[in-house]
Amino acid sequence: MPGELAGLLPPVVTPFVDEEISYEGIEENLRVWNEQSVPGYVVLGSTGEFVHCTMDEKLQVLAACREHIPTDRVMVAGIGADTTRETIGLALH
């Protein structure tokens, strides 16, 4: 069933070029990974870059990933921030 949390959900690494997020890199990585039979992905989760991104960058990364992840696959969004206010803000978006 699409949308079900089951199986392996690999973490999506956020690529950077010259200290800027590479949205082209996100698109290319997901294009390649979408050729595999995984049920979904974890974005801004365990790969460490979450704390180094601004709120706007986090929202843009989440939007870019959602755009390039097929709708029949799960996207788990890492939103656990250092402050309750930021966590709630990310959850609302």
Side-chain angles (χ1 to χ4, degrees):
M1 167 184 221
E4 192 173 293
L5 286 177
L8 175 68
L9 299 174
V12 174
V13 175
T14 305
F16 288 81
V17 174
D18 296 325
E19 299 183 27
E20 297 294 324
I21 295 171
S22 171
Y23 295 97
E24 296 83 14
I26 290 173
E27 180 179 358
E28 176 62 15
N29 286 343
L30 287 169
R31 185 191 63 73
V32 172
W33 296 335
N34 285 334
E35 295 172 2
Q36 308 306 311
S37 60
V38 295
Y41 305 97
V42 178
V43 178
L44 293 177
S46 62
T47 54
E49 64 272 15
F50 179 88
V51 298
H52 301 290
C53 295
T54 66
M55 175 69 107
D56 285 341
E57 289 172 329
K58 291 171 188 171
L59 294 173
Q60 291 170 9
V61 167
L62 292 171
C65 288
R66 182 68 273 175
E67 181 180 339
H68 298 292
I69 294 172
T71 57
D72 65 338
R73 297 190 187 190
V74 174
M75 184 181 101
V76 175
I79 61 166
D82 290 335
T83 67
T84 303
R85 181 171 290 151
E86 184 177 355
T87 300
I88 291 170
L90 286 166
L92 292 172
H93 278 91

